[in-house]
Amino acid sequence: MSFPIENSGMWLVVLAGVLFGYFIEAAGLSSPRKLTAQFALRDWTVFRVMFTAIVVAAAGLWLFDVLGWLRFDVLKVPTLFFWAMALGGALLGAGMAIGGYCPGTSVVALFAGRLDALFFMLGMMIGMTVFAVSYDALEAIYQVGKGPAGQTLSGLTGLPTWLWLLLLAGMAAGGFLLGNWF
């Protein structure tokens, strides 16, 4: 067994992470003020950046599939657990609104020298540990809302992927207009 970083592909992952962190910091998105302003509907920069990234990634994956460079059928699509996602999303959203960071921006902020990000990360680690220790007691709640295995939106609805991309781009445009209205 070799150390994972010896794999040449891992260096690309590390480089991508460093570049991602650099651009997050350069755009000011590692500031807790920026994220809390998003939750207060005063600054929609985070929404715009994230939704643009989602639309570009989705369109890129679709294009790669159309060109035959990466087939959708070889991608692992995780099973949805609706109640677990709703509860976890609510807890994550509350933590982000209170702490002013998401897990990724807290790492960027820590490396940028913000000490409060360290405390946010410690709280995040404590929360993950509590969840891991309590998982056996919570597993029934986790399993109750199990969705279809490995289902994409196209597979679930029967609508073509290109239509979902148009809908996604429309939702982004609508969100951008809503952000301008606020």
Side-chain angles (χ1 to χ4, degrees), residues 85-125:
M85 290 171 56
L87 180 60
L91 290 172
L92 178 67
M96 288 170 56
I98 293 167
Y101 293 110
C102 76
T105 60
S106 67
V107 175
V108 175
L110 179 66
F111 278 90
R114 293 185 182 90
L115 189 58
D116 61 329
L118 175 64
F119 292 105
F120 180 86
M121 292 173 70
L122 289 173
M124 192 170 52
M125 296 301 286

Side-chain angles (χ1 to χ4, degrees), residues 1 9 18 64 67 77 86 153 157 166 176:
M1 178 178 226
V18 169
F64 279 16
L67 295 173
V77 178
L153 288 172
T157 62
L166 287 177
F176 294 171

